[in-house]
Amino acid sequence: MKIALAQINPTIGDFTGNLAKILNASKRAADSGARLTIFSELSLCGYIPADFLDKPSFLTRCQQAVEELRIATASLPTAVLFGVALPASASSGKPAVNAAILVDKGQILIEQHKMLLPFYDVFDEQRYFAPATSQRVIEFEGERLAVTICEDAWNDKNFWPQQLYPIDPVEDLMRQQPTVLINISASPFWHGKRETRRRMLQAIAVRHKIPVFLSNQVGGNDSLIFDGSSFALAADGSFLAQAASFREDVVLAESSAPTGPSTAQPVWEANEQAEAAYQALVLGTRDYVLKTGFSKVLVALSGGIDSALVATIAVDALGPQNVLAVGMPSQYSSTGSVDDSRKLAANLGIRFEIIPIEQIFAQFSGALQPLFKDTQPDITEENLQSRIRGTLIMALSNKFSSLVLTTGNKSEMAVGYCTLYGDMVGALAVIGDLVKTRVYDLCRYINRDRQIIPEAILTKAPSAELRPGQKDTDSLPPYEVLDPILEAYVERDETTAQIVARYGFPSSVVEQVVRLVERTEYKRQQAAPVLKVTPKSFGMGRRFPIAARVQV
């Protein structure tokens, strides 16, 4: 049997648009001879609807959309397997179930519910969904299909060092002697996730001697980015087919193929991390802007590397005609920073405007002078410049209906080297999950064929330029020291002692960084949503109290 993997980019709550995508992909698959077309988890309503699932009207619309899809696909020669949320039984105490539905020729053949509901990192499915108590194999076209939903395939005791759940749905389904294992997923991207997914499902295929078909969602939804990267594996773990990463795609494979062709091996490798991260950020930026009903963005260009990277991502996501760059130099801004910004804008083909803030800063300072008399200039005056810039760019945002992309990186957000209501204002923190050294990696990737980001931006010492001669290292350890500490503490939850032992950094430096992280939680919880590209990002997947006294 020919099976198609159809990875689409759904929008949460856009039933009309999602249904159209499913129909179009199903027709394309049918034209290629597919007898079964597989879509991703919650593909009909979008993943994850969060508190929309508490609204009975939303779940009623899900039921209506299922009926619309059943009727619309009745004449197609391909059956369609898709995901949707449906009302749970009143006795479950939950509003919904996470369901996979197989329709063929106008008939619903199976409604399978998700059994394992993740409750870690960005996932909170136990809040909304009632878990399935059992699952069954379905006979279809001479095959016995074992249908699992995302996490249901992620509890293999032979693959993971520790199981999160007491049951393994795959193991239970294997007792029913299926001939094909299907996993419909909405599995978000981060560094290394594609390899983990591939190795995990290969292990299942080889151990149970069964072909495995994975259809994964693609696209950005708020902070989460879904890479797609759907694939089909033969029973020996070799690749039968592989869909593209970071874009919609439809690929076909034979369910009974003994081994995969040698040319269909995974294209993602460890040395392609920069490329994958860049593609993910472009996709996440595009979908955040377009799915929220906007088309244009603003970027404050400072002449630094962070704003250069954000501007480049914005251009690749939305086109140069939809990006406006604004320089807001003060008396402390170097001529080189303005010139570098202008050169970058020319390289990107975007409009660049300058609004000097020196006079505005003087007026603000004059207004505050009666209250500030007998005090010395300090970080207050530095932050005031940043807040003037924030006010100006938000005024442009209002006037021209353009979203502001913030330019702060993960290193800055981690230690609070950023200004509330200043450089933190905006709709989306595009590079808020990249530490500074990763920012340089992506900029070098961008310049791999030709120089887009001027060399001067890549080589100058990082500086906020808020006082004469200022450098980031005046306040922070060098990024080559700071970033490994942050990755260890924030992403891997290592202790101060473990970090000192791993890297040999002075304990006083590590303790200083940890204190900064803990003291600035209040800033991060007021920040714009961060596009997630690492296993642990700031935002919905990292939940800490603000009013706390942490002993380090």
Side-chain angles (χ1 to χ4, degrees):
M1 177 174 61
K2 276 191 177 182
I3 298 177
L5 300 173
Q7 60 183 39
I8 63 169
N9 184 348
T11 298
I12 295 167
D14 182 11
F15 294 96
T16 303
N18 298 341
L19 178 59
K21 284 179 177 286
I22 291 172
L23 285 175
N24 289 337
S26 297
K27 291 173 182 176
R28 179 179 166 189
D31 289 343
S32 299
R35 183 64 185 92
L36 172 63
T37 305
I38 305 171
F39 292 87
S40 55
E41 178 182 16
L42 299 187
S43 49
L44 188 54
C45 59
Y47 184 90
I48 181 171
D51 280 8
F52 278 122
L53 294 168
D54 287 327
K55 293 179 175 290
S57 58
F58 182 87
L59 295 173
T60 298
R61 185 68 185 90
C62 286
Q63 291 175 301
Q64 293 170 347
V66 170
E67 181 65 8
E68 291 168 15
L69 182 57
R70 181 189 68 79
I71 295 170
T73 58
S75 61
L76 291 180
T78 181
V80 177
L81 178 66
F82 62 95
V84 68
L86 294 173
S89 65
S91 61
S92 71
K94 302 291 183 179
V97 292
N98 186 333
I101 294 180
L102 177 62
V103 296
D104 184 40
K105 297 180 172 62
Q107 300 296 315
I108 294 178
L109 302 185
I110 189 173
E111 179 185 313
Q112 190 98 296
H113 297 171
K114 191 174 184 177
M115 186 171 283
L116 304 185
L117 304 175
F119 55 92
Y120 51 86
D121 192 45
V122 299
F123 305 107
D124 203 9
E125 292 192 26
Q126 291 185 12
R127 174 184 174 104
Y128 307 105
F129 294 121
T133 55
S134 64
Q135 294 176 336
R136 67 183 178 90
V137 166
I138 177 74
E139 295 267 2
F140 182 74
E141 293 291 325
E143 300 281 9
R144 292 176 56 79
L145 308 179
V147 178
T148 59
I149 304 175
C150 205
E151 190 85 352
D152 288 346
W154 287 72
N155 200 42
D156 182 357
K157 65 178 179 293
N158 295 297
F159 183 82
W160 299 105
Q162 180 179 359
Q163 287 183 292
L164 295 179
Y165 312 89
I167 55 175
D168 181 358
V170 170
E171 201 167 70
D172 291 345
L173 284 166
M174 288 303 151
R175 296 189 183 101
Q176 300 178 44
Q177 298 181 324
T179 57
V180 177
L181 176 67
I182 295 170
N183 186 252
I184 67 170
S185 282
S187 177
F189 168 83
W190 55 76
H191 290 314
K193 186 71 173 290
R194 293 181 296 180
E195 274 298 295
T196 300
R197 235 185 266 133
R198 189 261 309 165
R199 290 189 296 107
M200 179 192 69
L201 292 177
Q202 279 183 324
I204 290 175
V206 171
R207 183 168 58 262
H208 296 292
K209 298 180 175 58
I210 190 170
V212 175
F213 288 73
L214 163 74
S215 184
N216 189 39
Q217 179 172 308
V218 70
N221 282 329
D222 295 352
S223 294
L224 300 184
I225 303 163
F226 300 86
D227 57 279
S229 310
S230 304
F231 57 77
L233 301 172
D236 65 353
S238 60
F239 271 69
L240 296 172
Q242 179 189 341
S245 293
F246 307 111
R247 64 175 175 85
E248 294 182 319
D249 199 8
V250 177
V251 295
L252 276 74
E254 286 281 353
S255 61
S256 59
T259 58
S262 59
T263 56
Q265 296 307 305
V267 298
W268 54 86
E269 301 294 344
N271 61 1
E272 292 180 325
Q273 275 196 3
E275 179 182 1
Y278 187 78
Q279 290 177 343
L281 293 173
V282 169
L283 175 61
T285 300
R286 179 187 301 121
D287 278 356
Y288 185 94
V289 174
L290 299 182
K291 289 182 180 183
T292 53
F294 291 83
S295 60
K296 298 180 181 296
V297 295
L298 293 158
V299 180
L301 279 191
S302 66
I305 194 167
D306 297 320
S307 61
L309 176 56
V310 171
T312 307
I313 290 169
V315 168
D316 281 346
L318 301 163
Q321 72 280 6
N322 292 314
V323 181
L324 172 60
V326 183
M328 293 172 279
S330 73
Q331 63 268 42
Y332 305 120
S333 301
S334 66
T335 302
S337 292
V338 176
D339 291 342
D340 293 340
S341 296
R342 198 185 304 278
K343 185 175 181 181
L344 172 69
N347 290 348
L348 294 174
I350 59 178
R351 179 182 168 194
F352 179 56
E353 299 290 346
I354 293 181
I355 307 175
I357 69 166
E358 184 173 352
Q359 290 185 2
I360 303 173
F361 178 59
Q363 290 173 329
F364 271 57
S365 299
L368 291 166
Q369 196 279 328
L371 293 174
F372 282 7
K373 68 180 180 180
D374 302 325
T375 66
Q376 294 298 314
D378 56 17
I379 195 172
T380 305
E381 284 74 16
E382 295 180 23
N383 287 341
L384 182 56
Q385 297 168 66
S386 182
R387 290 181 175 126
I388 290 169
R389 292 178 173 127
T391 299
L392 292 173
I393 201 161
M394 286 308 300
L396 294 172
S397 173
N398 291 157
K399 183 63 70 175
F400 300 114
S401 298
S402 300
L403 292 183
V404 175
L405 303 181
T406 71
T407 59
N409 60 62
K410 192 174 191 174
S411 304
E412 295 168 345
M413 292 183 67
V415 297
Y417 197 63
C418 46
T419 304
L420 276 174
Y421 327 119
D423 59 322
M424 291 179 70
V425 303
L428 181 66
V430 175
I431 60 171
D433 202 22
L434 293 178
V435 294
K436 188 78 166 189
T437 47
R438 305 284 185 197
V439 171
Y440 280 98
D441 289 343
L442 260 65
C443 287
R444 285 189 283 268
Y445 165 76
I446 290 166
N447 281 2
R448 65 196 182 280
D449 296 324
R450 63 185 181 90
Q451 189 176 94
I452 296 172
I453 298 174
E455 185 66 21
I457 291 178
L458 291 168
T459 56
K460 70 173 67 173
S463 171
E465 293 192 333
L466 297 173
R467 65 174 185 266
Q470 184 181 26
K471 299 289 186 293
D472 287 6
T473 48
D474 297 341
S475 305
L476 303 173
Y479 288 110
E480 293 75 15
V481 174
L482 177 63
D483 288 354
I485 296 172
L486 293 175
E487 289 176 325
Y489 185 70
V490 174
E491 296 180 15
R492 300 194 297 272
D493 292 320
E494 294 184 16
T495 66
T496 300
Q498 288 172 323
I499 297 169
V500 170
R502 177 191 289 267
Y503 295 107
F505 299 141
S507 58
S508 59
V509 173
V510 178
E511 290 168 1
Q512 174 203 7
V513 171
V514 169
R515 279 194 298 270
L516 288 171
V517 172
E518 298 302 339
R519 280 175 48 194
T520 53
E521 182 63 29
Y522 74 99
K523 287 189 177 183
R524 290 187 291 273
Q525 292 200 24
Q526 298 180 68
V530 174
L531 291 180
K532 178 180 172 66
V533 292
T534 71
K536 183 67 69 174
S537 65
F538 294 126
M540 61 188 293
R542 187 179 185 273
R543 307 171 194 182
F544 284 91
I546 294 173
R549 293 180 180 177
V550 181
Q551 307 296 312
V552 297

